[in-house]
């Protein structure tokens, strides 16, 4: 009898210990297997009045056949996700690394794509050597001028359009304080305008854009962009278009998008929806599980913005560009939530998502 009691107690201790160990393990949530989307239509075949682009990485094109095949099979315009930014090209005052840019430009030519250059001037992409040189405004502009002339000139006729400047405004329309040009110049907008001129001289046929995020929601930023464009036009400075990155989420107000987009279009310039993605994990939850309801909301988001874009005057249509191809390697998965974001048109296995169908529906 005593042995039996001891045996029961031992079993109880083991069970409690095991339960504690299991309780301490992280909960692994497996996303549901959702039915594949079947469609033989391709977006690029229906976007006859504007280009359908994606931001890509050289390493993915070279190393993954599914990435390569999806891109060249589904898109007709190329943007570099990061390899055309200044810090990836400008190694020193007289040293440039064009290896990856050359590859991307040649790839586009071989696959009958146009190339949009992103970006010549961005506060986060000034190389460390350049920032540490602490140039005064005259030397600063002289170096930037040579850089723009060198890069745009090298790809004259091959890169058809450029984001000359990127993200120089806060949402309220003031200049970004972290920008290298803020504080360097008494008239920072004047400096930006001269950079547009340098690009135009290097390639007179290139379309030149200013690009920023949150444009349709931030009235102050939108007004600053339009006012800058008006100033440039009045001064004879070539500016052809405005880019709205369109990093939004399924919960973003469609009413606000509609209103802000109409105001942006009133600029009369080319409009580029330049870095489109749509977050479904709207609370940035580490335990989020993708589901059919949110994917349908994402599909509706794409349908609505495509309808908006497709309805603008033909002479203002330029391109719609997704920031990436597949959910597997979206930049948003580096933002702290692991694999808990699914913002693009293709899933991890390059299957077409409901968002792809939403995009198609918006074109009809």
């Amino acid at each position: 009898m005593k042995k039996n009691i001891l045996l029961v107690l031992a079993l109880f201790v083991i069970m409690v210990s095991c339960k504690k160990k299991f309780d301490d393990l992280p909960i692994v949530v497996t996303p549901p297997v959702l039915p594949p989307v079947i469609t033989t239509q391709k977006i690029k075949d229906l976007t006859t009045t504007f280009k359908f682009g994606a931001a890509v990485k050289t390493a993915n094109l070279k190393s993954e056949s599914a990435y390569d095949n999806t891109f060249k099979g589904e898109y007709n315009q190329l943007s570099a996700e990061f390899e055309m930014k200044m810090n990836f090209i400008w190694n020193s005052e007289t040293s440039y690394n064009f290896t990856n840019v050359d590859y991307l430009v040649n790839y586009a030519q071989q696959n009958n794509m146009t190339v949009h250059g992103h970006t010549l001037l961005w506060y986060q992409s000034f190389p460390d050597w350049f920032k540490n040189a602490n140039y005064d405004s005259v030397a600063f502009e002289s170096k930037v001028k040579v850089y723009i002339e060198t890069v745009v000139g090298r790809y004259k006729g091959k890169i058809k359009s450029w984001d000359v400047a990127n993200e120089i405004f806060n949402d309220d329309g003031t200049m970004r304080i972290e920008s290298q040009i803020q504080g360097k110049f008494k008239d920072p907008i004047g400096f930006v305008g001269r950079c547009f001129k340098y690009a135009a001289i290097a390639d007179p046929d290139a379309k030149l854009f200013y690009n920023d995020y949150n444009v349709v929601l931030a009235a102050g930023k939108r007004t600053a962009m339009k006012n800058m464009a008006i100033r440039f036009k009045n001064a004879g400075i070539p500016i052809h278009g405005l880019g709205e990155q369109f990093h939004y989420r399924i919960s973003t107000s469609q009413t606000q998008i509609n209103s802000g987009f109409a105001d942006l279009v009133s600029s009369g310039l080319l409009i580029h929806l330049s870095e489109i993605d749509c977050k479904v994990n709207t609370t940035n939850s580490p335990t989020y599980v993708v589901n059919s309801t949110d994917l349908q909301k994402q599909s509706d988001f794409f349908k609505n913005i495509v309808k908006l874009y497709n309805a603008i005057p033909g002479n203002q249509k330029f391109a719609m560009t997704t920031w990436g191809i597949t959910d597997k390697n979206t930049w948003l998965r580096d933002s702290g939530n692991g694999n808990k974001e699914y913002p693009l048109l293709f899933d991890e296995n390059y299957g077409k998502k409901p968002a792809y169908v939403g995009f198609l529906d918006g074109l009809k």
Side-chain angles (χ1 to χ4, degrees), residues 26-27 41 64 68-69 75 85 103 128 141 145 151 153 166 171 213 242 253 265 274 279 283 285 288 291 323 327:
I27 298 173
Q41 289 184 303
E64 191 175 353
D68 171 39
N69 290 331
Y75 296 86
K85 292 171 180 172
Y103 177 86
D128 286 341
E141 181 167 344
K145 177 177 182 288
V151 175
N166 189 59
D171 281 358
Y213 65 91
L242 298 174
S253 166
V265 172
S274 58
K279 294 179 71 173
T283 62
S285 170
Y288 175 81
N291 58 82
W323 204 243
D327 290 342

Side-chain angles (χ1 to χ4, degrees), residues 70-129:
T70 301
F71 181 52
K72 65 189 179 187
E74 297 282 350
Y75 296 86
N76 54 24
Q77 181 164 286
L78 180 154
S79 293
E81 189 163 328
F82 60 84
E83 288 156 308
M84 291 186 191
K85 292 171 180 172
M86 188 184 283
N87 55 321
F88 288 93
I89 295 175
W90 207 9
N91 292 337
S92 72
E93 183 176 350
T94 58
S95 174
Y96 299 82
N97 182 356
F98 292 115
T99 303
N100 286 336
V101 186
D102 286 349
Y103 177 86
L104 292 174
V105 170
N106 291 335
Y107 178 98
Q109 290 181 321
Q110 291 165 9
N111 291 286
N112 197 29
M113 296 179 176
T114 58
V115 180
H116 179 69
H118 176 79
T119 172
L120 296 172
L121 202 65
W122 183 41
Y123 73 96
Q124 287 194 28
S125 69
F126 287 103
D128 286 341
W129 71 263

Side-chain angles (χ1 to χ4, degrees), residues 310-330:
N310 207 28
I312 69 176
N315 63 354
Q316 289 188 260
K317 292 178 183 177
F318 177 72
M320 295 185 71
T321 301
T322 59
W323 204 243
I325 298 173
T326 164
D327 290 342
K328 179 170 63 174
N329 50 28
T330 169

